[in-house]
Coordinates of all heavy atoms in Angstrom, one line a residue:
M3 N 0.7 4.7 3.7 CA 1.3 3.3 3.9 C 0.7 2.6 5.1 O 1.3 2.5 6.1 CB 2.8 3.4 4.0 CG 3.3 4.3 5.1 SD 4.7 5.2 4.6 CE 4.1 6.9 4.7
P4 N -0.5 2.1 4.9 CA -1.1 1.4 6.0 C -0.7 0.0 6.2 O -0.7 -0.8 5.3 CB -2.6 1.5 5.7 CG -2.6 1.5 4.2 CD -1.4 2.2 3.8
Y5 N -0.2 -0.3 7.4 CA 0.2 -1.6 7.8 C -0.5 -2.0 9.0 O -0.9 -1.2 9.9 CB 1.7 -1.7 8.1 CG 2.6 -1.6 6.8 CD1 3.0 -0.3 6.4 CD2 3.0 -2.7 6.2 CE1 3.8 -0.2 5.2 CE2 3.8 -2.6 5.0 CZ 4.2 -1.3 4.6 OH 4.9 -1.2 3.5
V6 N -0.8 -3.3 9.1 CA -1.4 -3.8 10.4 C -0.6 -5.0 10.9 O 0.0 -5.7 10.1 CB -2.9 -4.3 10.2 CG1 -3.8 -3.2 9.8 CG2 -3.0 -5.4 9.2
Y7 N -0.5 -5.1 12.2 CA 0.1 -6.3 12.8 C -1.0 -7.3 13.1 O -2.1 -6.9 13.7 CB 0.8 -5.9 14.1 CG 1.2 -7.1 14.9 CD1 2.1 -8.0 14.5 CD2 0.5 -7.3 16.1 CE1 2.5 -9.1 15.3 CE2 0.8 -8.5 16.9 CZ 1.8 -9.3 16.4 OH 2.1 -10.4 17.2
R8 N -0.9 -8.5 12.7 CA -1.9 -9.5 13.0 C -1.3 -10.7 13.8 O -0.2 -11.2 13.5 CB -2.5 -10.1 11.7 CG -3.3 -9.2 10.9 CD -4.0 -9.9 9.8 NE -4.5 -9.0 8.8 CZ -5.7 -8.4 9.0 NH1 -6.4 -8.6 10.0 NH2 -6.1 -7.5 8.1
C9 N -2.0 -11.1 14.8 CA -1.7 -12.3 15.6 C -2.8 -13.3 15.3 O -3.9 -13.1 15.7 CB -1.5 -12.0 17.0 SG -1.2 -13.5 18.0
R10 N -2.4 -14.4 14.6 CA -3.5 -15.3 14.2 C -3.9 -16.1 15.4 O -5.1 -16.6 15.5 CB -3.0 -16.3 13.1 CG -2.7 -15.5 11.8 CD -2.2 -16.3 10.7 NE -3.2 -17.2 10.2 CZ -2.9 -18.1 9.3 NH1 -1.7 -18.3 8.8 NH2 -3.9 -18.9 8.8
Q11 N -3.0 -16.4 16.4 CA -3.4 -17.1 17.5 C -4.5 -16.4 18.3 O -5.4 -17.0 18.8 CB -2.2 -17.4 18.4 CG -1.2 -18.4 17.8 CD -0.2 -18.8 18.9 OE1 -0.3 -18.6 20.0 NE2 0.8 -19.5 18.4
C12 N -4.3 -15.1 18.5 CA -5.3 -14.3 19.3 C -6.4 -13.8 18.4 O -7.4 -13.1 18.9 CB -4.6 -13.1 19.9 SG -3.3 -13.6 21.1
R13 N -6.3 -13.9 17.0 CA -7.2 -13.3 16.1 C -7.4 -11.8 16.4 O -8.5 -11.3 16.5 CB -8.6 -14.0 16.2 CG -8.6 -15.4 15.7 CD -9.9 -16.1 16.0 NE -10.0 -17.4 15.5 CZ -10.4 -17.7 14.2 NH1 -10.8 -16.8 13.4 NH2 -10.4 -19.0 13.8
A14 N -6.2 -11.2 16.5 CA -6.1 -9.8 16.8 C -5.4 -9.1 15.7 O -4.5 -9.6 15.1 CB -5.5 -9.6 18.2
A15 N -5.7 -7.8 15.6 CA -5.0 -7.0 14.6 C -4.9 -5.5 15.1 O -5.8 -5.1 15.8 CB -5.8 -7.0 13.3
S16 N -3.8 -4.9 14.8 CA -3.6 -3.5 15.2 C -4.4 -2.6 14.2 O -4.7 -3.1 13.1 CB -2.1 -3.2 15.2 OG -1.6 -3.1 13.9
P17 N -4.7 -1.4 14.6 CA -5.3 -0.5 13.7 C -4.3 -0.2 12.5 O -3.1 -0.2 12.8 CB -5.6 0.8 14.5 CG -4.8 0.6 15.7 CD -4.5 -0.8 16.0
P18 N -4.7 0.1 11.3 CA -3.9 0.4 10.2 C -3.1 1.7 10.5 O -3.6 2.6 11.1 CB -4.8 0.6 9.0 CG -6.1 0.1 9.4 CD -6.1 0.1 10.9
G19 N -1.8 1.7 10.1 CA -1.0 2.9 10.3 C 0.4 2.6 9.7 O 0.6 1.7 9.0
P20 N 1.3 3.5 10.0 CA 2.7 3.4 9.5 C 3.3 2.1 10.0 O 2.9 1.6 11.0 CB 3.4 4.6 10.1 CG 2.4 5.5 10.5 CD 1.1 4.7 10.8
R21 N 4.2 1.6 9.2 CA 4.8 0.3 9.5 C 5.5 0.3 10.9 O 5.4 -0.7 11.6 CB 5.9 0.0 8.5 CG 6.5 -1.4 8.7 CD 7.4 -1.9 7.6 NE 7.8 -3.2 8.0 CZ 7.3 -4.4 7.5 NH1 6.3 -4.3 6.7 NH2 7.7 -5.5 7.9
R22 N 6.0 1.5 11.3 CA 6.6 1.6 12.6 C 5.6 1.4 13.7 O 5.9 0.7 14.7 CB 7.3 3.0 12.8 CG 8.3 3.0 13.9 CD 8.9 4.4 14.2 NE 9.1 5.1 12.9 CZ 8.9 6.4 12.7 NH1 8.3 7.1 13.7 NH2 9.1 6.9 11.5
D23 N 4.3 1.8 13.5 CA 3.3 1.6 14.5 C 2.9 0.1 14.6 O 2.7 -0.4 15.7 CB 2.0 2.4 14.1 CG 2.2 3.9 14.4 OD1 3.2 4.3 14.8 OD2 1.2 4.6 14.1
A24 N 2.9 -0.6 13.4 CA 2.6 -2.0 13.4 C 3.7 -2.7 14.2 O 3.5 -3.7 14.9 CB 2.5 -2.5 12.0
E25 N 5.0 -2.3 14.0 CA 6.1 -3.0 14.7 C 6.0 -2.7 16.2 O 6.3 -3.6 17.0 CB 7.4 -2.5 14.1 CG 7.7 -3.0 12.7 CD 8.9 -2.3 12.0 OE1 9.4 -1.3 12.6 OE2 9.2 -2.7 10.9
D26 N 5.6 -1.5 16.6 CA 5.4 -1.2 18.0 C 4.3 -2.1 18.6 O 4.4 -2.6 19.7 CB 5.0 0.3 18.2 CG 6.2 1.2 18.0 OD1 7.4 0.7 17.9 OD2 6.0 2.4 17.9
A27 N 3.2 -2.2 17.8 CA 2.1 -3.1 18.3 C 2.5 -4.5 18.4 O 2.1 -5.2 19.3 CB 0.9 -3.0 17.3
R28 N 3.4 -5.0 17.5 CA 3.9 -6.4 17.6 C 4.7 -6.5 18.9 O 4.5 -7.5 19.6 CB 4.8 -6.7 16.4 CG 5.5 -8.0 16.4 CD 6.3 -8.3 15.2 NE 7.4 -7.4 15.0 CZ 8.1 -7.3 13.9 NH1 7.9 -8.1 12.9 NH2 9.1 -6.4 13.9
R29 N 5.6 -5.6 19.1 CA 6.4 -5.7 20.4 C 5.5 -5.7 21.6 O 5.7 -6.5 22.5 CB 7.4 -4.5 20.4 CG 8.4 -4.7 21.5 CD 9.5 -3.6 21.6 NE 9.7 -2.8 20.4 CZ 9.2 -1.6 20.2 NH1 8.6 -1.0 21.2 NH2 9.4 -0.9 19.1
E30 N 4.6 -4.8 21.6 CA 3.7 -4.7 22.8 C 2.8 -5.9 23.0 O 2.7 -6.4 24.1 CB 2.8 -3.4 22.6 CG 2.0 -3.1 23.9 CD 1.1 -1.9 23.7 OE1 1.6 -0.9 23.0 OE2 0.0 -1.8 24.3
H31 N 2.3 -6.4 21.8 CA 1.5 -7.6 21.9 C 2.3 -8.8 22.3 O 1.8 -9.6 23.2 CB 0.9 -7.9 20.5 CG -0.1 -9.1 20.5 ND1 -1.3 -9.0 20.9 CD2 0.1 -10.4 20.1 CE1 -1.9 -10.2 20.8 NE2 -1.1 -11.0 20.3
R32 N 3.5 -9.0 21.8 CA 4.3 -10.1 22.3 C 4.6 -10.1 23.8 O 4.5 -11.1 24.5 CB 5.7 -10.1 21.6 CG 5.7 -10.6 20.1 CD 7.1 -10.4 19.5 NE 7.1 -10.9 18.2 CZ 8.2 -10.8 17.4 NH1 9.3 -10.2 17.9 NH2 8.2 -11.3 16.2
T33 N 4.8 -8.9 24.3 CA 5.1 -8.7 25.7 C 3.9 -9.0 26.6 O 4.0 -9.8 27.5 CB 5.6 -7.3 26.0 OG1 6.8 -7.0 25.1 CG2 6.0 -7.1 27.4
T34 N 2.8 -8.4 26.2 CA 1.6 -8.5 27.1 C 0.9 -9.8 26.9 O 0.3 -10.3 27.9 CB 0.6 -7.3 26.8 OG1 0.2 -7.4 25.4 CG2 1.3 -6.0 27.1
E35 N 0.8 -10.3 25.7 CA 0.0 -11.5 25.5 C 0.8 -12.8 25.4 O 0.2 -13.9 25.7 CB -0.8 -11.4 24.2 CG -1.7 -10.2 24.2 CD -2.8 -10.2 25.2 OE1 -3.3 -11.3 25.6 OE2 -3.3 -9.2 25.7
H36 N 2.0 -12.7 25.1 CA 2.8 -14.0 24.9 C 4.1 -14.0 25.7 O 5.0 -14.8 25.3 CB 3.1 -14.2 23.4 CG 1.9 -14.2 22.5 ND1 1.1 -15.3 22.4 CD2 1.3 -13.2 21.8 CE1 0.0 -15.0 21.6 NE2 0.1 -13.8 21.2
G37 N 4.2 -13.2 26.7 CA 5.3 -13.3 27.6 C 6.6 -13.0 26.9 O 7.7 -13.5 27.3
G38 N 6.5 -12.1 25.9 CA 7.8 -11.7 25.2 C 8.2 -12.7 24.1 O 9.1 -12.4 23.3
L39 N 7.4 -13.8 23.9 CA 7.7 -14.7 22.8 C 7.0 -14.3 21.5 O 6.0 -13.6 21.6 CB 7.4 -16.1 23.2 CG 8.0 -16.7 24.5 CD1 7.4 -18.0 24.8 CD2 9.5 -16.7 24.3
A40 N 7.5 -14.8 20.4 CA 6.9 -14.5 19.1 C 5.8 -15.6 18.8 O 6.2 -16.8 18.7 CB 7.9 -14.5 18.0
P41 N 4.6 -15.3 18.7 CA 3.6 -16.3 18.5 C 3.6 -16.8 17.0 O 4.0 -16.0 16.1 CB 2.2 -15.6 18.7 CG 2.5 -14.1 18.5 CD 4.0 -13.9 18.9
D42 N 3.2 -18.0 16.8 CA 3.2 -18.6 15.4 C 2.1 -17.8 14.6 O 1.1 -17.5 15.1 CB 2.8 -20.0 15.5 CG 3.9 -21.0 15.7 OD1 5.1 -20.5 15.5 OD2 3.7 -22.2 15.9
G43 N 2.5 -17.6 13.4 CA 1.5 -17.0 12.5 C 1.3 -15.5 12.6 O 0.4 -14.9 11.9
E44 N 2.1 -14.8 13.4 CA 2.0 -13.4 13.5 C 2.7 -12.8 12.2 O 3.6 -13.4 11.6 CB 2.7 -12.8 14.7 CG 4.2 -13.0 14.6 CD 4.9 -12.1 15.6 OE1 4.3 -11.5 16.5 OE2 6.2 -12.1 15.5
R45 N 2.2 -11.6 11.8 CA 2.8 -11.0 10.6 C 2.4 -9.5 10.6 O 1.4 -9.1 11.2 CB 2.4 -11.7 9.4 CG 0.9 -11.9 9.2 CD 0.5 -12.9 8.2 NE 0.7 -12.4 6.8 CZ 0.4 -13.0 5.7 NH1 -0.2 -14.2 5.8 NH2 0.5 -12.5 4.6
I46 N 3.2 -8.8 9.9 CA 2.8 -7.4 9.6 C 2.4 -7.4 8.1 O 3.2 -7.8 7.2 CB 4.0 -6.4 9.8 CG1 4.2 -6.3 11.4 CG2 3.8 -5.1 9.2 CD1 5.4 -5.5 11.7
E47 N 1.2 -6.9 7.8 CA 0.7 -7.0 6.4 C 0.5 -5.5 5.9 O 0.1 -4.6 6.7 CB -0.7 -7.6 6.4 CG -0.6 -9.1 6.8 CD -2.0 -9.7 6.8 OE1 -3.0 -8.9 6.8 OE2 -2.1 -10.9 6.8
Y48 N 0.7 -5.4 4.6 CA 0.4 -4.2 4.0 C -1.1 -4.2 3.6 O -1.6 -5.3 3.1 CB 1.2 -4.0 2.7 CG 0.7 -2.8 1.9 CD1 1.1 -1.5 2.2 CD2 -0.1 -3.0 0.8 CE1 0.6 -0.4 1.5 CE2 -0.6 -1.9 0.0 CZ -0.2 -0.7 0.4 OH -0.6 0.4 -0.3
V49 N -1.8 -3.2 4.0 CA -3.3 -3.2 3.7 C -3.5 -2.3 2.5 O -3.3 -1.1 2.5 CB -4.1 -2.6 4.9 CG1 -5.5 -2.6 4.6 CG2 -3.8 -3.4 6.1
P50 N -4.0 -2.9 1.4 CA -4.3 -2.1 0.2 C -5.4 -1.0 0.5 O -6.3 -1.3 1.2 CB -4.8 -3.0 -0.8 CG -4.6 -4.4 -0.3 CD -4.4 -4.3 1.2
G51 N -5.2 0.2 0.1 CA -6.2 1.2 0.3 C -5.9 2.4 -0.5 O -5.4 2.3 -1.6
S52 N -6.2 3.6 0.0 CA -6.0 4.8 -0.8 C -4.6 5.2 -0.9 O -4.2 5.9 -1.8 CB -6.8 5.9 -0.1 OG -6.4 6.1 1.2
A53 N -3.7 4.7 0.0 CA -2.3 5.1 0.0 C -1.6 4.5 -1.2 O -2.0 3.4 -1.7 CB -1.6 4.7 1.2
R54 N -0.7 5.2 -1.7 CA 0.1 4.7 -2.9 C 1.0 3.6 -2.5 O 1.7 3.7 -1.5 CB 0.8 5.9 -3.6 CG -0.1 6.8 -4.2 CD 0.6 8.1 -4.5 NE 1.9 7.9 -5.2 CZ 2.6 8.8 -5.8 NH1 2.2 10.0 -5.7 NH2 3.7 8.6 -6.4
H55 N 1.1 2.6 -3.3 CA 2.0 1.5 -3.1 C 2.8 1.4 -4.4 O 2.2 1.2 -5.5 CB 1.3 0.2 -2.8 CG 2.2 -0.9 -2.3 ND1 2.8 -1.7 -3.2 CD2 2.7 -1.2 -1.1 CE1 3.6 -2.5 -2.5 NE2 3.5 -2.3 -1.2
P56 N 4.1 1.4 -4.4 CA 4.9 1.4 -5.6 C 4.7 0.2 -6.5 O 4.8 0.3 -7.7 CB 6.3 1.5 -5.1 CG 6.3 1.2 -3.7 CD 5.0 1.5 -3.2
D57 N 4.3 -1.0 -5.9 CA 4.2 -2.2 -6.7 C 2.7 -2.4 -7.1 O 2.4 -3.3 -7.9 CB 4.6 -3.4 -5.9 CG 6.1 -3.3 -5.5 OD1 6.8 -2.7 -6.2 OD2 6.4 -3.9 -4.4
G58 N 1.8 -1.6 -6.6 CA 0.4 -1.8 -6.8 C -0.2 -1.1 -8.0 O -1.4 -1.3 -8.3
R59 N 0.6 -0.4 -8.7 CA 0.1 0.4 -9.9 C 0.7 -0.1 -11.2 O 1.9 -0.3 -11.2 CB 0.3 1.9 -9.7 CG -0.4 2.4 -8.5 CD -0.3 3.9 -8.4 NE 1.1 4.3 -8.4 CZ 1.5 5.5 -8.6 NH1 0.6 6.5 -8.9 NH2 2.8 5.9 -8.6
Y60 N -0.1 -0.3 -12.2 CA 0.5 -0.7 -13.5 C 0.8 0.5 -14.3 O 1.7 0.4 -15.1 CB -0.6 -1.5 -14.2 CG -0.9 -2.8 -13.5 CD1 -2.1 -3.0 -12.9 CD2 0.0 -3.8 -13.5 CE1 -2.4 -4.1 -12.2 CE2 -0.3 -5.0 -12.8 CZ -1.5 -5.1 -12.2 OH -1.7 -6.3 -11.5
V61 N 0.1 1.6 -14.2 CA 0.4 2.8 -15.0 C 0.7 4.0 -14.0 O -0.1 4.2 -13.1 CB -0.8 3.2 -15.8 CG1 -0.6 4.4 -16.6 CG2 -1.2 2.0 -16.7
S62 N 1.8 4.6 -14.2 CA 2.1 5.8 -13.4 C 1.2 7.0 -13.7 O 0.8 7.1 -14.9 CB 3.6 6.1 -13.5 OG 3.8 6.7 -14.7
T63 N 1.0 7.8 -12.8 CA 0.2 9.0 -13.1 C 0.9 9.9 -14.2 O 0.2 10.4 -15.1 CB 0.0 9.9 -11.8 OG1 -0.5 9.0 -10.8 CG2 -0.9 11.0 -12.0
G64 N 2.2 10.0 -14.1 CA 2.9 10.8 -15.1 C 2.8 10.2 -16.5 O 2.5 10.9 -17.4
G65 N 2.8 8.9 -16.6 CA 2.6 8.2 -17.9 C 1.2 8.4 -18.4 O 1.1 8.6 -19.6
L66 N 0.3 8.4 -17.5 CA -1.1 8.6 -17.9 C -1.3 10.0 -18.5 O -1.9 10.2 -19.6 CB -2.1 8.4 -16.7 CG -3.6 8.4 -17.1 CD1 -3.9 7.1 -17.9 CD2 -4.4 8.3 -15.8
I67 N -0.8 11.0 -17.8 CA -0.9 12.4 -18.3 C -0.2 12.6 -19.6 O -0.7 13.2 -20.5 CB -0.3 13.4 -17.2 CG1 -1.3 13.4 -16.0 CG2 -0.2 14.8 -17.7 CD1 -0.8 14.1 -14.7
A68 N 1.0 12.0 -19.7 CA 1.8 12.1 -20.9 C 1.0 11.5 -22.1 O 0.9 12.1 -23.2 CB 3.1 11.4 -20.8
G69 N 0.3 10.4 -21.8 CA -0.5 9.8 -22.9 C -1.7 10.6 -23.3 O -2.0 10.8 -24.5
L70 N -2.3 11.3 -22.3 CA -3.4 12.2 -22.6 C -3.0 13.4 -23.4 O -3.6 13.8 -24.4 CB -4.1 12.6 -21.4 CG -4.9 11.6 -20.6 CD1 -5.4 12.1 -19.3 CD2 -6.1 11.1 -21.5
V71 N -1.8 13.9 -23.1 CA -1.3 15.1 -23.8 C -0.9 14.7 -25.3 O -1.3 15.4 -26.2 CB 0.0 15.6 -23.1 CG1 0.8 16.6 -24.0 CG2 -0.4 16.3 -21.8
L72 N -0.4 13.5 -25.4 CA 0.0 13.0 -26.7 C -1.3 12.8 -27.6 O -1.3 13.2 -28.8 CB 0.7 11.6 -26.6 CG 1.5 11.1 -27.8 CD1 2.7 12.1 -28.0 CD2 2.0 9.7 -27.5
L73 N -2.4 12.3 -27.0 CA -3.7 12.2 -27.7 C -4.2 13.5 -28.1 O -4.7 13.7 -29.2 CB -4.7 11.5 -26.8 CG -4.6 9.9 -26.8 CD1 -5.6 9.4 -25.7 CD2 -4.9 9.4 -28.1
A74 N -4.1 14.5 -27.2 CA -4.6 15.9 -27.5 C -3.8 16.5 -28.7 O -4.4 17.1 -29.6 CB -4.5 16.8 -26.3
V75 N -2.5 16.3 -28.7 CA -1.7 16.8 -29.7 C -2.0 16.1 -31.0 O -2.2 16.7 -32.1 CB -0.2 16.6 -29.4 CG1 0.7 16.9 -30.6 CG2 0.2 17.5 -28.2
A76 N -2.2 14.8 -31.0 CA -2.5 14.0 -32.2 C -3.8 14.5 -32.8 O -4.0 14.6 -34.0 CB -2.5 12.5 -31.9
E77 N -4.8 14.7 -31.9 CA -6.1 15.2 -32.3 C -6.0 16.5 -33.0 O -6.7 16.8 -34.0 CB -7.1 15.2 -31.1 CG -8.5 15.6 -31.5 CD -9.4 15.7 -30.3 OE1 -8.9 15.4 -29.1 OE2 -10.5 16.1 -30.4
E78 N -5.2 17.4 -32.4 CA -5.0 18.8 -33.0 C -4.4 18.7 -34.4 O -4.8 19.3 -35.3 CB -4.2 19.6 -32.1 CG -4.1 21.1 -32.5 CD -5.4 21.8 -32.4 OE1 -6.3 21.4 -31.7 OE2 -5.5 22.8 -33.1
I79 N -3.4 17.8 -34.5 CA -2.7 17.6 -35.8 C -3.7 17.1 -36.8 O -3.8 17.6 -38.0 CB -1.5 16.7 -35.7 CG1 -0.4 17.4 -34.9 CG2 -1.0 16.2 -37.0 CD1 0.8 16.5 -34.5
A80 N -4.5 16.1 -36.4 CA -5.5 15.5 -37.4 C -6.5 16.6 -37.8 O -6.9 16.6 -38.9 CB -6.2 14.3 -36.7
R81 N -6.9 17.4 -36.8 CA -7.9 18.5 -37.1 C -7.3 19.5 -38.1 O -8.0 19.9 -39.1 CB -8.3 19.2 -35.8 CG -9.5 20.0 -36.0 CD -9.9 20.7 -34.6 NE -8.9 21.6 -34.1 CZ -8.8 22.9 -34.6 NH1 -9.6 23.3 -35.4 NH2 -7.8 23.6 -34.1
L82 N -6.0 19.9 -37.9 CA -5.4 20.8 -38.8 C -5.2 20.2 -40.2 O -5.4 20.9 -41.2 CB -4.1 21.3 -38.3 CG -4.2 22.2 -37.0 CD1 -2.8 22.4 -36.4 CD2 -4.8 23.5 -37.4
W83 N -4.9 18.9 -40.3 CA -4.8 18.3 -41.6 C -6.1 18.1 -42.3 O -6.1 17.9 -43.5 CB -4.1 16.9 -41.4 CG -2.6 17.0 -41.4 CD1 -1.8 18.1 -41.4 CD2 -1.7 15.9 -41.5 NE1 -0.5 17.8 -41.4 CE2 -0.4 16.5 -41.5 CE3 -1.8 14.5 -41.6 CZ2 0.8 15.7 -41.6 CZ3 -0.7 13.8 -41.7 CH2 0.6 14.3 -41.7
G84 N -7.1 18.0 -41.5 CA -8.4 17.6 -42.1 C -9.1 18.8 -42.8 O -10.0 18.6 -43.6
R85 N -8.6 20.0 -42.7 CA -9.3 21.1 -43.3 C -9.0 21.2 -44.8 O -7.9 20.8 -45.3 CB -8.8 22.5 -42.8 CG -8.8 22.7 -41.4 CD -8.6 24.1 -41.0 NE -7.2 24.4 -40.8 CZ -6.7 25.7 -40.8 NH1 -7.5 26.7 -41.1 NH2 -5.5 25.9 -40.5
Ligands
ZN27 ZN1 -1.3 -13.0 20.2

């Protein structure tokens, strides 16, 4: 679950990591660069990548495997009927 904290005013971004790390980076950045104030346009973003995101997939892995098994079974039935 890679998240980055971005400050658009400073054009700065934290390294991707867990959301808690991005929140820590936000707090530290606000303190050190903006005197503890929240800068306009700052945000914590989800970075699409190799990590799984529940909303980012249209087909679940389990559904895909079930579909392949169903195809294999159907092929076997067709083969047995074909003789
Ligand atoms: Zn900033």
Side-chain angles (χ1 to χ4, degrees):
M3 54 218 118
Y5 287 87
V6 295
Y7 165 71
R8 288 187 195 282
C9 176
R10 293 176 76 184
Q11 288 193 11
C12 301
R13 294 174 176 268
S16 70
R21 187 173 180 96
R22 198 182 322 136
D23 286 2
E25 289 169 354
D26 288 347
R28 175 177 62 190
R29 187 176 346 103
E30 188 179 327
H31 182 80
R32 282 179 178 176
T33 303
T34 57
E35 301 295 329
H36 300 283
L39 301 175
D42 273 350
E44 69 163 8
R45 55 197 282 189
I46 290 177
E47 295 177 344
Y48 173 78
V49 179
S52 57
R54 289 164 50 169
H55 189 273
D57 299 331
R59 296 187 303 165
Y60 296 107
V61 179
S62 71
T63 306
L66 190 66
I67 290 171
L70 288 173
V71 167
L72 200 65
L73 277 175
V75 168
E77 184 182 356
E78 187 66 22
I79 289 170
R81 193 178 63 83
L82 289 172
W83 272 12
R85 311 193 265 162

